[in-house]
Amino acid sequence: MFTTVERDRVRDKLVAAAKADPRIAAAGFAGSSAYGEEDEWSDIDLALGLAPSVDYDDVVAAWTESLYREHGAVTHLDVRAGSTLFRVFLLQGTLQVDIAFWRAEEFGATGPRFEVLFGKANDVEKTKPPVAANLIGWAWLYALHARSSIGRGRVWQAEYMISGMRDQVFALACLRHDVPAVQGRGMDDVPPEAAAPLMAALVRSLDLAELGRAFTAACTALLTEIEYVDPEHAARLAPSLRELSSPREW
């Protein structure tokens, strides 16, 4: 396990390398790296704004080679958002280093946690929270497949669908309480009374009766959250959700 001293040393070397690289016009910290909000578990989130005339792929390749050669990267994962590449590195000692490669005109704060280190940040569109209607749609879709999976005795698939449904409902609760609603980041900040119904939707075993119990709890929690967002939508969905989750011999 990496130490905070080791993490800070890697972070400082990466920032120094960015400042010394003429192909990098701007840089900033994102996430907990911004404004010194790290704890002992925090990773490094470095955003690089590339100069307009450079070859994007060449810069990515050079920085990737450096992470492996100089910082002991073990592997990496690519995540894309529009034209921006987020290359996520795993270093020896389990330190995660996220390097975002932004084109010059797109470099800027897309979220509330962003600290410019050097260069100029553009006024760019902020990342929007998920739309409640989409979360509701995914939740009832998961519910349909949870019901059929239980009915077919496909217990692992049923657990997957119930958990997916519960995650959408939890995201709705996060939206309602104005905490981050993606990747589980706000779940622990939801008030206990709002999280309690989701606790009941946890699958505790692959027994069919237990799957049915958790599924019923998830349907009840979903209907409750929809009523907060859109009572008319809740009224339309209520008969179907109650039919899906009505007590039966699973």
Side-chain angles (χ1 to χ4, degrees):
M1 174 70 184
F2 65 89
T3 66
T4 57
V5 172
E6 291 168 340
R7 181 191 62 216
D8 292 350
R9 182 166 58 245
V10 171
R11 181 191 60 202
D12 292 345
K13 286 183 177 180
L14 291 172
V15 172
K19 290 179 178 178
D21 191 337
R23 299 165 301 180
I24 306 300
F29 285 141
S32 61
S33 297
Y35 304 110
E37 296 177 347
E38 304 102 326
D39 61 18
E40 62 181 304
W41 305 103
S42 296
D43 53 22
I44 298 171
D45 290 294
L46 180 63
L48 301 178
L50 278 59
S53 60
V54 303
D55 186 291
Y56 188 95
D57 293 337
D58 284 351
V59 176
V60 172
W63 273 76
T64 299
E65 193 274 334
S66 176
L67 261 292
Y68 278 92
R69 184 186 71 251
E70 298 183 18
H71 299 288
V74 176
T75 188
H76 68 266
L77 169 71
D78 286 348
V79 180
R80 291 189 178 272
S83 63
T84 301
L85 171 66
F86 295 81
R87 182 154 283 182
V88 183
F89 295 90
L90 173 64
L91 273 55
Q92 295 175 3
T94 71
L95 175 62
Q96 175 184 333
V97 177
D98 300 352
I99 308 289
F101 297 91
W102 292 87
R103 300 187 186 278
E105 67 277 9
E106 297 175 349
F107 178 81
T110 58
R113 291 186 173 188
F114 191 82
E115 177 188 6
V116 177
L117 298 172
F118 65 87
K120 181 181 178 181
N122 299 300
D123 185 11
V124 297
E125 184 178 5
K126 301 298 184 286
T127 301
K128 295 181 174 61
V131 177
N134 292 340
L135 296 174
I136 292 169
W138 277 107
W140 64 251
L141 185 59
Y142 274 117
L144 290 175
H145 289 281
R147 187 270 310 272
S148 60
S149 298
I150 296 172
R152 293 167 179 155
R154 298 183 64 82
V155 294
W156 281 109
Q157 186 178 16
E159 191 280 331
Y160 177 90
M161 294 298 175
I162 295 168
S163 294
M165 179 185 178
R166 187 189 65 246
D167 290 344
Q168 306 306 308
V169 180
F170 224 139
L172 284 168
C174 289
L175 283 181
R176 178 161 63 92
H177 291 281
D178 197 27
V179 297
V182 295
Q183 300 177 341
R185 292 177 181 174
M187 288 180 174
D188 288 285
D189 300 316
V190 170
E193 62 272 15
L198 281 306
M199 180 72 74
L202 285 170
V203 176
R204 298 163 187 163
S205 79
L206 295 180
D207 178 78
L208 287 175
E210 167 58 17
L211 289 166
R213 183 207 62 77
F215 176 52
T216 298
C219 287
T220 301
L222 172 58
L223 187 55
T224 297
E225 288 300 331
I226 298 174
E227 287 172 344
Y228 282 112
V229 176
D230 187 342
E232 183 179 344
H233 197 169
R236 293 198 308 272
L237 274 175
S240 296
L241 287 175
R242 290 181 178 127
E243 170 63 21
L244 281 174
S245 61
S246 61
R248 67 192 76 187
E249 292 295 328
W250 296 101

